[in-house]
Amino acid sequence: MKASETKLLDLLAKGSQFVIPIYQRTYSWTQAECAQLWSDVLRAGTNSSLNAHFIGSIVHVEKGLSNLTSQEPNLVIDGQQRLTTATLLIAALARALEQLPEDQREPLDGFSPRKLRNRYLVNNDEDGERYFKLLLSQTDKETLKAVVGGTESPSQKSERVEENFGYFEDQLAKLSDDLGTVCRGLAKLVVVDIRLDRTHDNPQLIFESMNSTGRKLSQADLIRNFVLMGLEPSTQDRLYAQYWRPMETDFGQAAYEAQFDDFVRHYLTVVTGDIPRLGDIYEAFKAHDRARRDRGESVEALVSELRDYARRYCAVALGHERDRRLNAAFQDLREIKADVVYPFLLEVYTDYELGTLSSTELTEIVDMVTSYIFRRAVCRVPTNSLNTTFATFAKALRKDRYVDSVRAHFLSMRSYRAFPTDEEFSESLTSTDLYHFKRRSYFLRHLENHDRKEHVAIEDYTIEHILPQNEDLSPAWRQALGEDWAEVQARYLHTLGNLTLTGYNSEYSDHPFAVKRDMEGGFKDSPLRLNRGLGQLDEWNAKRIEERAERLAENAIKIWTRPSLPAATLAEFHEPRPDTGFTIEDHPNLLPAPRRALFEKFRAEVLALDPGVSEQFLKLYVAYKVETNFVDVVPQVARLRLSLNLPFEALHDERRLAWDVTGRGHWGNGNVEVGLDENSDFTYVMGLVRQAYEYQLAE
């Protein structure tokens, strides 16, 4: 590696060509980053005491450690964003200077349009792609060539390149009488020029360790570079064109930047069975790649599989599904933001592609998942267990009885994972605040349009409180509600029975119910199903609100249905926990009366944490688990040694009773241990156990 400080313009002038490899991400700087560079250039250009302004580093690979005299192109490992943005600014400056009178076109020596182009933008004595000083990748390349060459933009253009070039053109137009400031500022820009030698330096390691300014690399950027960087150029080109570029195209630029990391996380969850942490997706992918290579699998097989799952993800999450009914079901999932279900649906969609189930069956499964997520949201059930629920859901599938096995698994879930019953769903629908419910638009749209052939766009309407929100209700409203009008308003205001849709919200205002009913555009004239029956009512009070809420809740139960199976069929899918053959009698240290009493007290407290907690006697310890073990009891002569399954640093232990066993061999699961005997503070120790339980739910 050879590093030196140099002016950006000197780097561009001396280099024959800089090429962005195909494995690098596309140009991604937004107007915010361009505005920062523009501000830096103006500050440097107007401050005579400032001799240089550092903007970051440019890391590139060349054949040897020459001084850029070779005609071989330099592959840019890091710094393409600032290099591209500077090129756009120089191209815009050259074009702006051309608009000036001829005697004003060189406000600073060396900054005429011709000199800017020939020194920093093009190689004037070269042809074809060698003509350009900077070559980007894919659609970015053709758009930048059009900008620098002054030709028409390609049909598939890079919006970022074109928009940022336009931004600089606009800024320069505002400074048309003082372009010398921009020239002076550009001349002061300094970078660290880091040149690598292929024979001595590892570009991948250096790339990973860079901490440059600008837009942080996404996990997907790192993964793409990891997969392609070490391959021969011809193999890079082929794998990129055959697999990676189609993924980028399917996602589209905006979705690729926003969602590709999430997709890779879901993919890894499906193929490894583990859910990577959000910040560890790249490391998890590298571990997955190593495991595959250890099994003798090729890089191409990995990228091919990733491509297949990306296509499925686009169908499920990005609206690419061609089956109309199935696409509508996926759209419902997207509306309620149920991305936690994607690992499960990616696996089910794979089976759909293989012909294991039909589109009708897949649609039914998607509708079940949507109902499950939506009912839980209405019932305000915490969502912190959903990741694990759907990451492990596929283990319960019976491919020969696919849909029934999904129904059975939903019905078998208990406690915090349970599928809300019709009674629970109805109770929450009729009594809770749905006005501030995040999914209220989705909810009202489906209530209105269920079984309609001609759908109503509820975006054309606003939500109306039939009983007004105004705390200072009119005498007419107070009389209608009775003596306890304030209590009625507080209790029912935001509930389902009092909410509807209207295009006359401002006209309705706080008018009495009869006025809202009979006015032009009132409830009597409303074409909306949500307003059915309101035109026939003479009053609006607590009783009417409850009646309407119950009627709408009945409709909701028919829309977001709960699966059902005959008891006999359900029993066929029930898999009892395997008998380990061990009981309390196999643990002699638990049998003495005082210790037995302590253990019985402990097990009662642990099992009371949640109905989903199970107990299992093993040869050397007793395990308590929800998804996995969160506490294990190792019976010893002097005490019960509790093994808590959470990181030591995550435990809040003011008394420092617990100790760290990370990396040490021991019985039981977990990195934390704490003792419990007859003299311990039982309540405090149970507080530590509860932390392990809650940590698992949060995970």
Side-chain angles (χ1 to χ4, degrees):
M1 180 191 296
K2 185 176 181 181
S4 61
E5 186 178 290
T6 186
K7 290 185 176 180
L8 173 65
L9 294 183
D10 289 345
L11 180 68
L12 289 171
K14 293 176 182 177
S16 63
Q17 189 177 59
F18 292 94
V19 175
I20 309 302
I22 57 170
Y23 54 75
Q24 291 277 34
R25 67 177 174 185
T26 54
Y27 179 58
S28 60
W29 269 18
T30 64
Q31 185 172 309
E33 286 86 14
C34 292
Q36 181 61 57
L37 178 65
W38 175 254
S39 175
D40 292 341
V41 168
L42 292 186
R43 185 168 66 87
T46 55
N47 189 344
S48 59
S49 63
L50 187 65
N51 295 320
H53 179 76
F54 176 69
I55 62 169
S57 57
I58 307 294
V59 184
H60 52 97
V61 181
E62 51 187 6
K63 281 194 170 181
L65 290 178
S66 67
N67 291 316
L68 292 176
T69 58
S70 168
Q71 292 303 304
E72 291 293 332
N74 297 274
L75 301 180
V76 179
I77 303 301
D78 185 71
Q80 72 139 319
Q81 304 296 326
R82 61 184 61 83
L83 202 57
T84 304
T85 307
T87 297
L88 292 174
L89 175 52
I90 294 169
L93 177 61
R95 191 172 295 187
L97 289 170
E98 277 185 332
Q99 308 305 314
L100 299 178
E102 190 168 347
D103 61 345
Q104 300 177 26
R105 291 180 182 175
E106 192 169 2
L108 189 67
D109 186 36
F111 281 82
S112 69
R114 181 179 60 82
K115 292 175 181 177
L116 285 171
R117 287 200 179 94
N118 292 344
R119 292 178 182 177
Y120 313 124
L121 298 178
V122 301
N123 297 307
N124 207 34
D125 55 347
E126 297 284 356
D127 296 318
E129 291 195 338
R130 296 298 296 268
Y131 175 72
F132 299 94
K133 287 273 189 179
L134 177 63
L135 281 182
L136 304 184
S137 60
Q138 303 310 313
T139 54
D140 288 346
K141 176 170 68 175
E142 298 304 320
T143 307
L144 183 64
K145 285 167 61 177
V147 166
V148 171
T151 59
E152 185 178 348
S153 295
S155 57
Q156 290 187 326
K157 61 187 177 183
S158 166
E159 294 181 0
R160 283 281 165 80
V161 171
E162 194 167 77
E163 288 172 1
N164 290 350
F165 177 69
Y167 169 79
F168 287 127
E169 282 192 311
D170 292 342
Q171 300 306 310
L172 288 163
K174 299 174 185 176
L175 283 178
S176 58
D177 57 344
D178 191 19
L179 295 182
T181 298
V182 181
C183 299
R184 288 189 294 273
L186 276 171
K188 293 180 181 181
L189 296 184
V190 170
V191 297
V192 173
D193 173 17
I194 302 177
R195 284 168 279 169
L196 308 180
D197 182 351
R198 292 183 188 274
T199 61
H200 297 98
D201 301 312
N202 186 326
Q204 177 66 34
L205 294 179
I206 293 172
F207 176 82
E208 290 180 14
S209 65
M210 293 302 297
N211 188 26
S212 306
T213 57
R215 292 180 68 83
K216 183 179 178 182
L217 289 168
S218 68
Q219 306 276 306
D221 294 328
L222 293 168
I223 289 170
R224 182 186 59 246
N225 294 358
F226 171 76
V227 169
L228 299 175
M229 185 180 285
L231 303 174
E232 290 297 319
S234 59
T235 306
Q236 285 181 0
D237 291 341
R238 183 176 64 81
L239 294 187
Y240 184 83
Q242 189 171 346
Y243 301 112
W244 206 281
R245 182 57 185 165
M247 286 194 286
E248 294 177 339
T249 302
D250 282 354
F251 273 77
Q253 184 170 342
Y256 184 83
E257 293 178 6
Q259 296 189 43
F260 200 80
D261 283 5
D262 292 334
F263 154 65
V264 175
R265 186 180 187 225
H266 297 317
Y267 159 75
L268 290 171
T269 300
V270 173
V271 298
T272 69
D274 295 321
I275 308 172
R277 292 179 182 272
L278 290 173
D280 296 338
I281 298 171
Y282 177 45
E283 294 301 323
F285 185 88
K286 289 199 294 183
H288 175 56
D289 173 70
R290 284 193 298 270
R292 293 180 67 120
R293 294 193 191 207
D294 289 344
R295 298 195 297 266
E297 298 182 39
S298 66
V299 172
E300 181 165 0
L302 171 61
V303 181
S304 174
E305 181 180 81
L306 193 67
R307 167 71 185 112
D308 289 339
Y309 274 97
R311 187 184 63 254
R312 295 161 194 151
Y313 180 86
C314 289
V316 174
L318 299 182
H320 292 195
E321 176 56 48
R322 295 181 178 179
D323 183 284
R324 184 184 61 80
R325 176 65 185 89
L326 188 52
N327 189 53
F330 288 145
Q331 173 62 25
D332 285 348
L333 272 179
R334 293 193 293 272
E335 281 194 54
I336 62 174
K337 303 188 185 306
D339 56 339
V340 294
V341 310
Y342 289 158
F344 169 60
L345 290 184
L346 284 175
E347 187 151 351
V348 177
Y349 198 94
T350 302
D351 288 332
Y352 164 60
E353 287 188 332
L354 294 172
T356 307
L357 69 162
S358 67
S359 63
T360 300
E361 290 172 321
L362 176 55
T363 301
E364 185 176 352
I365 290 172
V366 175
D367 287 343
M368 262 191 275
V369 170
T370 302
S371 291
Y372 176 73
I373 296 292
F374 184 71
R375 283 192 176 213
R376 286 169 58 89
V378 170
C379 295
R380 309 303 198 262
V381 180
T383 61
N384 52 6
S385 67
L386 288 178
N387 271 331
T388 307
T389 296
F390 284 102
T392 59
F393 201 109
K395 295 178 182 178
L397 293 178
R398 288 261 300 271
K399 302 298 177 76
D400 58 330
R401 300 176 64 183
Y402 217 115
V403 178
D404 273 353
S405 69
V406 174
R407 293 192 189 104
H409 190 55
F410 270 130
L411 293 172
S412 69
M413 293 192 291
R414 297 288 181 266
S415 182
Y416 62 91
R417 295 195 304 166
F419 202 124
T421 64
D422 291 351
E423 292 74 17
E424 292 166 338
F425 187 40
S426 178
E427 169 62 26
S428 294
L429 283 171
T430 57
S431 62
T432 59
D433 180 348
L434 292 182
Y435 179 67
H436 296 103
F437 182 46
K438 290 182 179 179
R439 298 174 174 93
R440 71 179 187 190
S441 294
Y442 163 80
F443 175 55
L444 293 174
R445 179 183 301 110
H446 279 264
L447 271 184
E448 177 62 35
N449 287 309
H450 183 59
D451 284 342
R452 266 186 183 269
K453 290 187 177 180
E454 296 180 346
H455 279 208
V456 173
I458 72 161
E459 292 77 14
D460 297 336
Y461 298 87
T462 56
I463 295 180
E464 162 72 8
H465 288 78
I466 303 173
L467 163 62
Q469 298 186 72
N470 191 344
E471 294 181 0
D472 186 19
L473 284 178
S474 66
W477 269 114
R478 296 186 185 189
Q479 182 179 355
L481 299 178
E483 294 182 359
D484 56 350
W485 63 270
E487 181 182 339
V488 172
Q489 184 187 39
R491 178 177 177 183
Y492 293 101
L493 180 64
H494 298 313
T495 61
L496 175 60
N498 193 52
L499 301 177
T500 192
L501 294 172
T502 182
Y504 294 87
N505 192 278
S506 58
E507 289 85 352
Y508 283 179
S509 186
D510 292 343
H511 288 307
F513 176 75
V515 175
K516 292 184 178 185
R517 181 193 61 200
D518 298 334
M519 65 185 295
E520 183 179 352
F523 297 136
K524 276 187 177 179
D525 297 336
S526 176
L528 300 181
R529 289 184 174 181
L530 280 172
N531 291 327
R532 279 182 179 174
L534 293 177
Q536 287 72 50
L537 297 178
D538 296 324
E539 57 185 2
W540 192 250
N541 50 33
K543 180 182 178 183
R544 297 303 187 192
I545 293 174
E546 290 176 352
E547 290 172 348
R548 180 169 179 267
E550 289 173 4
R551 176 171 56 81
L552 294 178
E554 288 176 4
N555 293 342
I557 288 170
K558 297 173 184 176
I559 299 171
W560 295 279
T561 59
R562 186 175 190 266
S564 62
L565 281 174
T569 304
L570 187 59
E572 294 174 18
F573 291 93
H574 177 66
E575 295 185 6
R577 181 177 298 278
D579 185 4
T580 64
F582 297 102
T583 68
I584 194 171
E585 303 299 326
D586 295 297
H587 293 278
N589 291 328
L590 293 178
L591 299 181
R595 186 58 48 81
R596 178 70 175 260
L598 176 64
F599 176 69
E600 293 293 348
K601 180 179 180 182
F602 175 82
R603 74 191 299 196
E605 288 286 335
V606 174
L607 293 172
L609 288 173
D610 193 289
V613 175
S614 64
E615 177 186 64
Q616 192 172 29
F617 285 90
L618 301 172
K619 181 178 181 180
L620 296 167
Y621 58 89
V622 186
Y624 295 90
K625 63 175 64 178
V626 183
E627 302 292 346
T628 59
N629 298 29
F630 65 90
V631 61
D632 296 327
V633 179
V634 182
Q636 296 179 320
V637 174
R639 64 185 175 182
L640 302 178
R641 179 165 58 78
L642 310 182
S643 180
L644 307 180
N645 196 358
L646 79 169
F648 184 74
E649 61 273 13
L651 184 71
H652 181 64
D653 179 17
E654 293 179 345
R655 301 184 189 177
R656 299 184 180 179
L657 297 184
W659 56 92
D660 187 2
V661 292
T662 305
R664 292 161 51 188
H666 61 288
W667 299 117
N669 299 270
N671 296 326
V672 180
E673 289 185 351
V674 63
L676 176 65
D677 61 28
E678 290 75 11
N679 297 317
S680 300
D681 185 335
F682 183 85
T683 302
Y684 182 82
V685 174
M686 274 304 303
L688 303 181
V689 174
R690 180 179 288 276
Q691 289 183 54
Y693 162 75
E694 292 175 347
Y695 181 84
Q696 184 180 113
L697 290 192
E699 286 292 283

